[in-house]
Amino acid sequence: MTSEQTPVCRRVAMVSVHTSPLAQPGTGDAGGMNVYVLETAKRLARRGIAVDIFTRRTTASEEPIVEVEPGVVVRHVSAGPYEGLDKEDLPGQLCAFSAGMMRIEAHAPEGHYDLVHTHYWLSGQVGWLAADRWDIPLVHTMHTMARVKNLHRADGDTLEPRGREIGEAQVVEAADRLVANTVDEARELIDLYDADPELVDVVSPGVDLEMFHPGDRSAARAEVDIPDDAALLLFVGRIQPLKAPDVLIRAAAHLVRRDPSLRERLVVGILGGASGVAVKSPMALDRLAEDEGIADLVRFVPPTDHETLATWMRAADIVAVPSHNESFGLVAVEAQASGAVVVATDVGGLPTAVGDAGLLVDGHDPHLWANAFESILDDPALHAELSTKAVERSRAFSWEATAERLAAVYEAALATPRRASINDADALAGIPSAVIP
């Protein structure tokens, strides 16, 4: 194929059904995926690829169309009641959501979208229909996978439903390209979902290096009301068993029991809001802190904007990411870009995100986490070394690089004949009978 014949991607229909890229990360279902969708859309638009983001309308006050910046439009689609629906209720609204997308596209010129890029399995189900209807490629990013989450399920967390596993397997079969955040995630797609290795592309997420950067720690601490001489351990994320913020509290209590003088300066920051099963069955971290005897050392901070989040990270000595699983771990990279030392679970995409610029802990034993914290807090030279490495490592991750790789994936999808519809007998023959409804 000559360069003149190479397909060019001009406009993408990006789908994020269950959570809006405009929502505040850190509470409900809003998290790293929201950041990923919005930041990649902006960088793609700046490269000349216009992006329409389709998401479910959740309040009456939301405008049907919101222009984020030139080339990036968020389209709120009505599908079910605006409020009161959990993520688990949304499979019943996929038909309504798909119909809304079809109506919007029907008013556009023929061939308006060159490609559909979906995020999370619910969006993949919608995008599969749209791609078939519009005869354009489907690119899908899982972000999280039921079979992986069930393998690494936290105590108190619920199993992902079989319906999700079936839906994910269908999307994997239907997609023209699959985007994985890390090599490990690509391997999981291949091993657990029988994805074609030739169709799986690894594209690392990025970080906004203009927002997250090192700075004056004393000034940052003054801004968020933390004493200048404090030892600040920080958790950032949704409050749910999967993210395991309780590990930080238990480990901090071990530190104080080992060295009671630490009580005079230790501060444990928990920045985030309830999510997932914790909405209906709160994790009661405040009661845990009381039971562990460190309630006076723990500060609970509601989800905040990116600028304030970056200030908290610049103020922190250590940012803990004790998750039971992460497809990548945006918080870890944002923290490293801000100069904080990251201590994370050695699982999922976190080793890729953290590398040798932080410490990785095997499992969730609070004693082991306390050891990791102690090794950094007691050794200023090690802390300084890791902080410097963290900033240097974060420079390898940028949203511009992510968008560049996605654009290449889009071109590859456009240049390859579309896969057969999953409704075709040949396509169904390729899916294990256990996952065919």
Side-chain angles (χ1 to χ4, degrees):
M1 180 178 289
T2 66
S3 58
E4 290 77 18
Q5 296 172 310
T6 301
V8 175
C9 187
R10 301 157 301 163
R11 185 179 299 275
V12 173
M14 198 170 281
V15 188
S16 178
V17 171
H18 79 282
T19 179
S20 170
L22 303 181
Q24 170 65 59
T27 190
D29 291 315
M33 194 183 94
N34 298 65
V35 177
Y36 183 105
V37 170
L38 185 60
E39 297 299 332
T40 55
K42 291 193 293 188
R43 271 51 173 207
L44 287 167
R46 294 168 196 174
R47 295 177 59 87
I49 301 174
V51 181
D52 283 8
I53 304 171
F54 293 85
T55 190
R56 196 178 78 86
R57 190 174 185 180
T58 56
T59 68
S61 61
E62 288 172 334
E63 295 292 332
I65 299 174
V66 177
E67 183 180 33
V68 176
E69 64 175 58
V72 180
V73 172
V74 174
R75 297 183 178 274
H76 291 110
V77 179
S78 294
Y82 293 154
E83 300 175 356
L85 289 184
D86 295 328
K87 184 168 62 176
E88 292 73 22
D89 300 319
L90 295 184
Q93 299 304 320
L94 296 184
C95 182
F97 191 98
S98 299
M101 276 187 65
M102 297 301 111
R103 282 193 294 270
I104 291 170
E105 192 274 342
H107 290 89
E110 186 176 354
H112 188 60
Y113 297 112
D114 298 303
L115 177 142
V116 182
H117 185 178
T118 54
H119 297 272
Y120 193 70
W121 78 277
L122 294 171
S123 304
Q125 290 279 316
V126 171
W128 161 25
L129 173 62
D132 273 358
R133 176 73 177 267
W134 302 336
D135 194 26
I136 58 177
L138 170 63
V139 175
H140 181 69
T141 305
M142 282 288 200
H143 292 282
T144 64
M145 292 177 273
R147 291 173 183 169
V148 175
K149 290 184 73 173
N150 286 341
L151 286 172
H152 301 282
R153 183 166 56 102
D155 292 340
D157 214 348
T158 57
L159 280 169
E160 293 297 313
R162 177 164 168 74
R164 175 179 173 180
E165 290 192 39
I166 293 171
E168 288 176 342
Q170 290 172 323
V171 173
V172 168
E173 179 66 23
D176 296 280
R177 310 291 298 194
L178 293 161
V179 176
N181 289 325
T182 64
V183 172
D184 284 342
E185 186 183 355
R187 189 177 301 113
E188 289 165 345
L189 280 166
I190 295 164
D191 293 346
L192 299 179
Y193 289 86
D194 295 323
D196 183 343
E198 297 297 318
L199 301 180
V200 181
D201 297 285
V202 177
V203 180
S204 296
V207 60
D208 185 342
L209 296 174
E210 294 183 2
M211 179 68 68
F212 296 94
H213 58 80
D216 186 327
R217 177 174 294 178
S218 293
R221 291 185 167 197
E223 192 170 335
V224 295
D225 193 26
I226 296 293
D228 198 40
D229 64 345
L232 174 58
L233 308 179
L234 182 65
F235 169 90
V236 175
R238 288 171 287 163
I239 308 301
Q240 58 177 191
L242 176 70
K243 302 293 184 180
D246 57 299
V247 171
L248 174 55
I249 293 176
R250 296 180 196 277
H254 280 299
L255 289 178
V256 172
R257 285 194 285 271
R258 292 178 186 178
D259 180 7
S261 68
L262 193 58
R263 178 178 290 279
E264 300 302 317
R265 62 189 187 93
L266 185 65
V267 177
V268 179
I270 307 288
L271 199 163
S275 175
V277 297
V279 174
K280 294 179 179 177
S281 301
M283 294 187 72
L285 295 179
D286 53 349
R287 189 162 62 246
L288 174 62
E290 289 180 6
D291 293 343
E292 293 285 352
I294 61 168
D296 56 320
L297 307 182
V298 180
R299 281 185 56 179
F300 294 97
V301 183
T304 186
D305 59 83
H306 271 67
E307 186 173 352
T308 305
L309 173 59
T311 301
W312 271 99
M313 288 180 168
R314 280 191 285 275
D317 291 289
I318 296 172
V319 172
V321 188
S323 304
H324 287 268
N325 189 61
E326 291 283 353
S327 61
F328 182 67
L330 283 179
V331 164
V333 180
E334 291 170 346
Q336 290 187 323
S338 305
V341 175
V342 172
V343 177
T345 317
D346 188 5
V347 69
L350 288 170
T352 299
V354 176
D356 64 353
L359 297 185
L360 296 170
V361 180
D362 184 11
H364 297 86
D365 184 338
H367 292 276
L368 297 180
W369 281 81
N371 292 344
F373 295 153
E374 194 172 52
S375 68
I376 296 169
L377 294 176
D378 288 352
D379 190 342
L382 176 61
H383 185 280
E385 177 188 347
L386 291 176
S387 178
T388 299
K389 277 187 176 182
V391 174
E392 291 173 352
R393 181 175 178 80
S394 70
R395 292 176 184 145
F397 300 100
S398 72
W399 288 119
E400 287 74 19
T402 303
E404 181 178 359
R405 285 286 295 117
L406 283 179
V409 172
Y410 294 168
E411 290 181 9
L414 289 167
T416 305
R418 288 209 60 220
R419 302 182 76 185
S421 168
I422 198 170
N423 290 317
D424 294 344
D426 290 343
L428 281 173
I431 304 178
S433 59
V435 300
I436 299 177

